[in-house]
Amino acid sequence: VEDVLNAGIDVMSTVNVQHLESLNDQVAELSGIRVRETIPDRILARADEIVLIDLTPEALLERLRAGKIYPPNRIDAALNNFFRIENLAALREVALRQVAEEVEQKRLTTVEPLGSREELVAAEAQQAVGERLLALVEPYPGAQRLVRRAWRSAQRLGADIDLLWIRPPGAKLSDDQRRSLTALKQLASTLGAHFLVEESDTIPEAIADVARRQRTTYVLMGRSRPTRGLGRLRTPLPQRLMELLPGVDVRIVADRARRSNGDRG
Amino acid sequence: VTVVIVIVAAVVALAAGVAIGYWLPPHGRRPASDNRTAVRRILLPFTGQAISRRAFEAAARLAKAENATIIPAFLARVPRTLPLDSPLPAQCDQAMVLMEALEQRAHAEGVAVDARIARGRTYRDALRRLLDEEQFDRVIVSATESSANGLSPDDLEWLLERVPAEVMILRPAPDDKRHISVNGVHGHF
C-alpha cells in the first residue's frame, strides 16, 4: 500500500478487522484464534475515508454456506472454527467500535495546521512512531493502581505500555514484596504490557535509558517517597526526568489517600 | 561551672540525637507496626462485570475487625486455543474499572486492598492456580452468583474441600441483586 501511495496512485482496499495489529490480542481473546497476518494501524490511520461494511452474523453465515466466501471443501472447517456465530458477533462489535473511534479521531484532528513545515513534519513523524507509555512501579500493592491508570491512558492513546521497576542492586525482597512483584508481573502479562526490571543505583538515568530504548513518549509515576537529609538537596525525580527526556510527558498519578483527605478538607 | 557544663552537654547530646534521627533515611527507622502479627488476607474472587455487594461488605467488615487485607481476585478465562499466558484485553477492560471501583469503596471504608488477576481455562482453574501460588486466611464467595457467569455449585463444593483456609459462602438473600459494578467508579479514571 505504501509503495503504491508513494507512486502517487490512490488505493481503495478492503480489510477484515481481525487483521489490524492493535486488535490482535483482543481478537485472539474473543475468537480463540491468533491471526498471524496483521497490518500496522498507521496504514488504516492514513486512510482519507473508512467505510464500514456491516453484515449480521447470520447473513454472513448464509453467504459462507452458499459458497460465496470459501470453496465448498473449506466451508465446514470455517464453520467449525472462525465462522462461529459468537466470534462473528464479537468481531462485528470490534469493527463498529474501531470505525467509531476512527471517525472520532478524524473529527478531533480536523483543524487548521499551525506552525512551520519543519514542525509539521516533526509532529507527523512523532505520530507515525506512535505513543508508548512507561509506568514506573515498585513491588507494593499501591503500584497496581498506577498500572490501572497507565492501562486506561494507553487505551485512550492507542499506545503500547511498559512497566519498569528499577531494582536497587543486591536488594533482597520481603515476602510481601515478592508477592506484589508476582502479582504485578501477572497483571502486566494479562494486560499485554511488558514488565521490565533494571538494576541500578542511579534511578533517573536508568529510567531515561529505558525510555530512550523503548521510544517512550509518556512516563507515569506515583508520588515519590518523602526524602530526608541530603536527599532533599537532590532534584526531584519528575524534574530530573524532564531534564533527561526532553519531549517526553511526565505524569504523576495522585495518591488515593491524600486525594481523599483533600476532598474531605 | 560543672553544672553548666553538664546542662550544655545534655542539651548538645539531645540536639545531636534529634538531628541524627531527623537526618536518618526513613527506612532506617523501624515503625512500631513491624512488631505486630502478620496481616491476614481475605480472598474475594469475582467474575464478569460486577461483584456481589454483600460479599464485599462481609469482606470489608471482617477486614476491619481483623486488620486484614482484602484481595479481590478477578478470574479470567483463557480460550483453550490460546496459550494460558495470553493477554486478555477485552476482559481486562471490565476488570480494571471494577477493581478501581472496589478499591475506591474499600478505601472509603478504611480497608487495605491488594488486587489480583488470575487466568485459567475455567473460573475454577483460575482460582486453583491462584490458591496454588498464594496463601489466604479466608475466602468469601457469594452463592447467589449465576453459575453461567461465575462459580457453579460444584465449584463452591470444590472450594470447600480444596482450600486450606476458612471459606465463607454467603447464602442467598433478598438483596443479592445489589452489586458493585463499573458504574461505581467515582471521579476521573
Side-chain angles (χ1 to χ4, degrees):
Chain A
V1 169
E2 284 174 331
D3 286 346
V4 175
L5 286 173
N6 289 340
I9 302 168
D10 290 340
V11 175
M12 293 177 74
S13 176
T14 60
V15 63
N16 292 336
V17 70
Q18 67 265 29
H19 294 294
L20 272 185
E21 198 171 74
S22 67
L23 298 177
N24 195 250
D25 286 338
Q26 194 175 351
V27 169
E29 182 189 357
L30 292 169
S31 66
I33 293 164
R34 175 72 65 185
V35 176
R36 302 285 168 201
E37 309 86 5
T38 58
I39 61 161
D41 289 46
R42 62 187 158 80
I43 300 289
L44 191 71
R46 283 186 70 177
D48 295 318
E49 195 68 64
I50 298 169
V51 178
L52 176 71
I53 303 173
D54 185 32
L55 204 59
T56 63
E58 291 79 5
L60 191 52
L61 287 175
E62 262 178 43
R63 284 176 58 79
L64 179 71
R65 289 194 190 98
K68 292 177 180 173
I69 299 175
Y70 288 130
N73 60 333
R74 289 179 58 190
I75 293 175
D76 279 346
L79 282 170
N80 290 326
N81 290 302
F82 204 82
F83 279 75
R84 280 178 285 136
I85 199 152
E86 60 270 24
N87 278 0
L88 298 177
L91 286 174
R92 185 188 189 200
E93 183 187 338
V94 171
L96 289 165
R97 281 177 190 271
Q98 182 68 26
V99 172
E101 279 171 19
E102 291 287 339
V103 170
E104 185 187 19
Q105 194 68 27
K106 287 245 164 20
R107 183 175 61 79
L108 293 174
T109 53
T110 309
V111 291
E112 277 298 306
L114 294 171
S116 67
R117 180 176 155 69
E118 287 73 22
E119 284 168 342
L120 287 173
V121 169
E124 202 166 313
Q126 196 175 359
Q127 200 173 4
V129 170
E131 300 278 358
R132 191 166 187 117
L133 272 70
L134 180 67
L136 309 180
V137 295
E138 284 183 296
Y140 81 106
Q144 295 217 4
R145 179 162 185 266
L146 178 70
V147 176
R148 286 200 297 269
R149 300 299 287 256
W151 154 256
R152 292 286 280 183
S153 296
Q155 277 191 314
R156 289 183 184 122
L157 293 166
D160 283 331
I161 178 170
D162 300 305
L163 309 182
L164 173 65
W165 174 39
I166 304 290
R167 180 179 186 151
K172 287 186 179 170
L173 297 180
S174 66
D175 285 347
D176 282 347
Q177 285 176 317
R178 255 194 297 277
R179 265 201 301 257
S180 290
L181 186 62
T182 307
L184 272 176
K185 286 181 176 172
Q186 176 84 326
L187 181 60
S189 160
T190 316
L191 294 173
H194 310 95
F195 193 89
L196 311 168
V197 179
E198 293 282 321
E199 279 210 4
S200 178
D201 264 337
T202 51
I203 293 174
E205 285 75 14
I207 295 168
D209 283 347
V210 173
R212 287 188 205 107
R213 200 167 64 222
Q214 299 294 108
R215 296 174 184 272
T216 299
T217 59
Y218 221 102
V219 175
L220 281 100
M221 56 192 296
R223 181 177 147 261
S224 302
R225 276 173 292 193
T227 51
R228 289 190 177 277
L230 293 174
R232 292 181 178 195
L233 302 175
R234 282 199 293 265
T235 309
L237 183 60
Q239 275 93 323
R240 189 82 188 101
L241 287 179
M242 284 191 280
E243 287 167 11
L244 291 169
L245 298 167
V248 174
D249 292 335
V250 177
R251 177 176 160 196
I252 302 170
V253 174
D255 185 314
R256 187 191 302 289
R258 291 172 71 87
R259 185 176 166 181
S260 302
N261 291 340
D263 288 349
R264 280 183 208 116
Chain B
V1 175
T2 312
V3 173
V4 172
I5 290 170
V6 168
I7 290 171
V8 169
V11 169
V12 169
L14 187 65
V18 169
I20 288 168
Y22 180 78
W23 286 92
L24 267 178
H27 56 76
R29 300 174 184 179
R30 291 279 169 268
S33 58
D34 276 9
N35 296 326
R36 70 188 173 189
T37 53
V39 171
R40 295 174 65 87
R41 293 155 55 80
I42 300 175
L43 178 64
L44 189 62
F46 66 98
T47 63
Q49 300 177 9
I51 185 168
S52 155
R53 191 177 290 192
R54 272 200 330 131
F56 172 78
E57 284 169 356
R61 271 198 305 275
L62 282 169
K64 259 202 261 192
E66 299 175 346
N67 187 31
T69 298
I70 298 178
I71 319 283
F74 178 74
L75 307 179
R77 281 193 298 198
V78 185
R80 289 188 188 278
T81 46
L82 295 181
L84 202 55
D85 59 354
S86 297
L88 303 170
Q91 290 178 70
C92 285
D93 205 20
Q94 296 290 334
M96 291 295 104
V97 193
L98 196 48
M99 282 179 169
E100 178 71 14
L102 276 173
E103 204 177 290
Q104 285 185 2
R105 192 168 282 263
H107 193 267
E109 305 245 354
V111 176
V113 173
D114 188 5
R116 297 282 184 271
I117 287 188
R119 282 175 291 192
R121 297 300 180 195
T122 61
Y123 292 136
R124 186 197 293 191
D125 184 38
L127 189 54
R128 183 182 60 75
R129 287 170 192 277
L130 180 62
L131 291 166
D132 284 346
E133 277 176 17
E134 295 190 46
Q135 289 192 330
F136 302 95
D137 301 294
R138 282 211 172 99
V139 183
I140 298 181
V141 286
S142 171
T144 57
E145 285 186 76
S146 158
S147 58
N149 295 318
L151 297 170
S152 67
D154 278 352
D155 293 333
L156 297 180
E157 198 179 319
W158 166 83
L159 193 63
L160 284 168
E161 288 173 2
R162 162 70 178 75
V163 184
E166 191 176 301
V167 179
M168 273 182 69
I169 298 176
L170 301 179
R171 70 174 68 202
D175 60 348
D176 276 342
K177 286 180 184 168
R178 292 163 65 233
H179 284 98
I180 297 171
S181 70
V182 293
N183 300 324
V185 174
H186 296 293
H188 169 69
F189 174 64

